[in-house]
Amino acid sequence: MAEDITAEDIVDVPDTPRTDYRALTKDGLWDNNVVFSQLLALCPLLAVTGTATNGLGMGLASTAVLIASGLSISLLRNWIPPDVRIPAFVLVIALIVTLVDMAMNAWVHELHKVLGLFIPLIVTNCAILGRAEIFASKKPVAPSTYDGFIMGVGFTLALVALGAVREVLGAGTLFAGAAILLGDAFKAIEMNIPAYDGMLLFALPPGGFMVLGFMLAGKRVVDKKMESWRQRRVLQSDAPACHTV
Amino acid sequence: MSDASTASAPPGPDSPAKFDKTPWVLALTLTVFATVAAGLLTLGDIQTRPVIAQRLAEDLNAILSQVVPPELHDNALSKDVLTVKSATGEPVTVYRARNGDEIIGFAYSVTGQGGYAGPIELVMGVNAQGQVLGVRVLSHAETPGLGDKIEVPKSNWILSFTGLSFANLPRDKWAVKKDGGTFDQFSGATITPRAVVKAVKGGLDFFATNQTALFAKAPQNASQTTPSGTGE
């Protein structure tokens, strides 16, 4: 949990009804993205992103758990003594995941057959405990729920991005099996690259590490570029002021 | 962890200083949480258990009807269950297909050892003459895009077993082409098909060595046998 400090610095929103949802959104999707900035939840990330569809399914299930845990931890935050908060959070999260697992097995059985193996693993997704600790245990219900939602969306985007790159390079398909996950209406988004059988490396775990590494490096490059562009703008707007003095 | 928390909790008006830190209060709090969680889980289990059991039974029927064509028999396979010891001494659950009083085939699961990533669970149907009626994969962890061509949605390779028996394909031909047999391997993946071929061959051996047990007249209460461990 070395991320505690940095993440807290970034998301230190005061406990007031007026919470900056724009900042939360930016945090969840880019600045403080679960995968690309916090480097959390890499185990489920690398395990399921052989295809974009599996990534999407895992992302949706994790988002559901993040929303539910943000909501319930925030509701319970005034009843959880700080000294025992970690076991209490783990208990609440494990409860939610188990209920989601049972409900999916019963009512969306086909999807559960695809994702079944990974759902119990959501308990060990440190991003969920991380959000409970950093955000939901200190903030009111509405922003906590929204934080869970937007962090989940950011995680889902990372899963789909990594899954899509690995699937295209590794198998020459994109969103294969989406109809099983989302219903027959989504048969159209299943794509196949003709005359390319894929490069096995990217379907295997080493390829996952490689693609993730390139993506992390890519995000840093973009962040650096944006930072220097922002600084140049500040300098330019400052420059005339300096001259006049 | 507790150091970080005390440091991070700002001493503002909303700081959680109101909590009693006595150990027994903390223990009681956790006990209450655990009790409530256990209660909710029990409720969830009560709500979902019958539905899940029904889904698993549907899964079983679906897979059984794929390996034993429904038009060949008139009984419910999942109701005529017997347990036969395999060569390694492990109990194998066998589902029998009947047409009237005549036993026309069997379905049972076989495990392919030596897969690329763990065992490959298969279910196969065999008719009374020892011919393969069908083979399907129940679960596997083979490489997506390579070894998963043993699944029907990915490739029809596994259909190539249908109709084969030791009578029309000599035992030494039950191997992938690379090993001198008749079955195709996949480009880039030989280990997975090799394990599947070996498992199906083992399944036919199981049929050959257990003829008497398999064709034994089942006691009328055979349908009471619980199909244990059929979910996976």
Side-chain angles (χ1 to χ4, degrees):
Chain A
M1 299 277 282
E3 283 81 11
D4 272 14
I5 304 142
T6 50
E8 242 165 68
D9 289 343
I10 298 166
V11 219
D12 202 16
V13 191
D15 194 351
T16 54
R18 231 177 56 82
T19 307
D20 189 352
Y21 285 94
R22 263 190 66 185
L24 279 185
T25 310
K26 203 156 162 278
D27 258 349
L29 297 184
W30 185 266
D31 286 352
N32 203 19
N33 184 289
V34 172
V35 171
F36 293 129
S37 292
Q38 304 184 52
L39 294 184
L40 289 175
L42 297 188
C43 168
L45 178 86
L46 290 166
V48 304
T49 51
T51 69
T53 308
N54 282 358
L56 180 63
M58 182 67 176
L60 293 178
S62 302
T63 305
V65 173
L66 270 165
I67 294 172
S69 80
L71 176 75
S72 38
I73 301 264
S74 179
L75 277 174
L76 295 167
R77 72 187 189 282
N78 291 328
W79 282 278
I80 300 177
D83 306 72
V84 293
R85 69 193 192 290
I86 298 292
F89 294 164
V90 171
L91 192 65
V92 171
I93 293 165
L95 170 70
I96 293 169
V97 172
T98 312
L99 289 175
V100 167
D101 186 39
M102 291 195 293
M104 283 180 74
N105 198 354
W107 291 295
V108 275
H109 192 66
E110 291 304 311
L111 180 55
H112 189 268
K113 272 197 269 185
V114 182
L115 294 174
L117 196 60
F118 305 119
I119 293 168
L121 286 180
I122 298 177
V123 177
T124 65
N125 186 334
C126 38
I128 295 168
L129 185 62
R131 290 329 286 173
E133 163 79 2
I134 293 165
F135 201 95
S137 60
K138 296 170 189 156
K139 305 285 187 289
V141 174
S144 296
T145 312
Y146 184 74
D147 176 74
F149 166 73
I150 205 71
M151 281 290 160
V153 172
F155 182 47
T156 308
L157 288 179
L159 282 162
V160 173
L162 192 59
V165 172
R166 285 180 66 188
E167 191 182 349
V168 167
L169 294 176
T173 59
L174 185 58
F175 284 108
I180 304 172
L181 179 73
L182 301 165
D184 285 334
F186 286 85
K187 192 90 191 158
I189 65 167
E190 294 183 19
M191 277 170 268
N192 206 340
I193 300 171
Y196 176 67
D197 276 345
M199 209 174 136
L200 179 60
L201 174 67
F202 290 100
L204 295 171
F209 280 103
M210 284 170 60
V211 176
L212 178 64
F214 280 114
M215 284 188 158
L216 291 174
K219 182 183 185 278
R220 278 189 68 92
V221 169
V222 172
D223 279 346
K224 276 238 166 76
K225 280 255 158 67
M226 276 166 63
E227 183 59 32
S228 67
W229 179 76
R230 214 175 287 141
Q231 273 179 356
R232 220 178 308 139
R233 262 187 51 164
V234 171
L235 280 179
Q236 277 169 357
S237 59
D238 279 356
C242 290
H243 275 292
T244 48
V245 172
Chain B
M1 287 309 257
S2 65
D3 290 346
S5 82
T6 40
S8 66
D14 202 36
S15 75
K18 56 201 167 193
F19 287 110
D20 194 341
K21 282 197 171 190
T22 340
W24 73 266
V25 174
L26 297 180
L28 195 71
T29 314
L30 269 189
T31 311
V32 170
F33 268 88
T35 314
V36 172
L40 287 173
L41 276 182
T42 313
L43 269 179
D45 187 46
I46 291 170
Q47 288 294 315
T48 54
R49 185 186 290 262
V51 191
I52 293 173
Q54 198 194 336
R55 293 283 175 277
L56 291 179
E58 284 169 13
D59 282 355
L60 177 66
N61 283 334
I63 201 103
L64 288 177
S65 72
Q66 282 178 16
V67 294
V68 179
E71 61 270 17
L72 294 182
H73 61 93
D74 59 6
N75 69 328
L77 258 64
S78 55
K79 292 277 159 59
D80 191 350
V81 184
L82 67 160
T83 309
V84 178
K85 281 246 173 359
S86 73
T88 54
E90 277 171 42
V92 179
T93 310
V94 180
Y95 303 91
R96 290 203 290 197
R98 296 160 184 267
N99 198 355
D101 264 353
E102 189 194 357
I103 298 170
I104 61 102
F106 308 91
Y108 44 86
S109 59
V110 286
T111 306
Q113 299 294 350
Y116 193 73
I120 303 166
E121 296 291 337
L122 305 158
V123 61
M124 61 187 285
V126 180
N127 71 7
Q129 288 75 45
Q131 266 187 326
V132 175
L133 290 170
V135 183
R136 291 293 184 281
V137 177
L138 283 181
S139 67
H140 72 88
E142 301 302 295
T143 313
L146 262 190
D148 65 352
K149 293 197 181 83
I150 54 175
E151 294 174 27
V152 169
K154 306 271 161 62
S155 155
N156 55 12
W157 177 82
I158 204 150
L159 304 179
S160 64
F161 287 105
T162 308
L164 296 180
S165 68
F166 286 151
N168 59 22
L169 184 67
R171 285 183 55 101
D172 57 333
K173 287 288 174 190
W174 282 79
V176 291
K177 282 183 176 150
K178 207 178 198 173
D179 302 340
T182 54
F183 296 95
D184 287 325
Q185 57 261 4
F186 313 135
S187 57
T190 313
I191 295 170
T192 310
R194 188 184 279 153
V196 173
V197 171
K198 203 173 151 213
V200 176
K201 189 182 175 190
L204 286 181
D205 279 333
F206 168 80
F207 172 81
T209 51
N210 292 293
Q211 295 258 352
T212 39
L214 289 171
F215 284 99
K217 275 265 175 274
Q220 280 311 301
N221 63 356
S223 59
Q224 296 300 313
T225 320
T226 45
S228 56
T230 48
E232 299 299 310

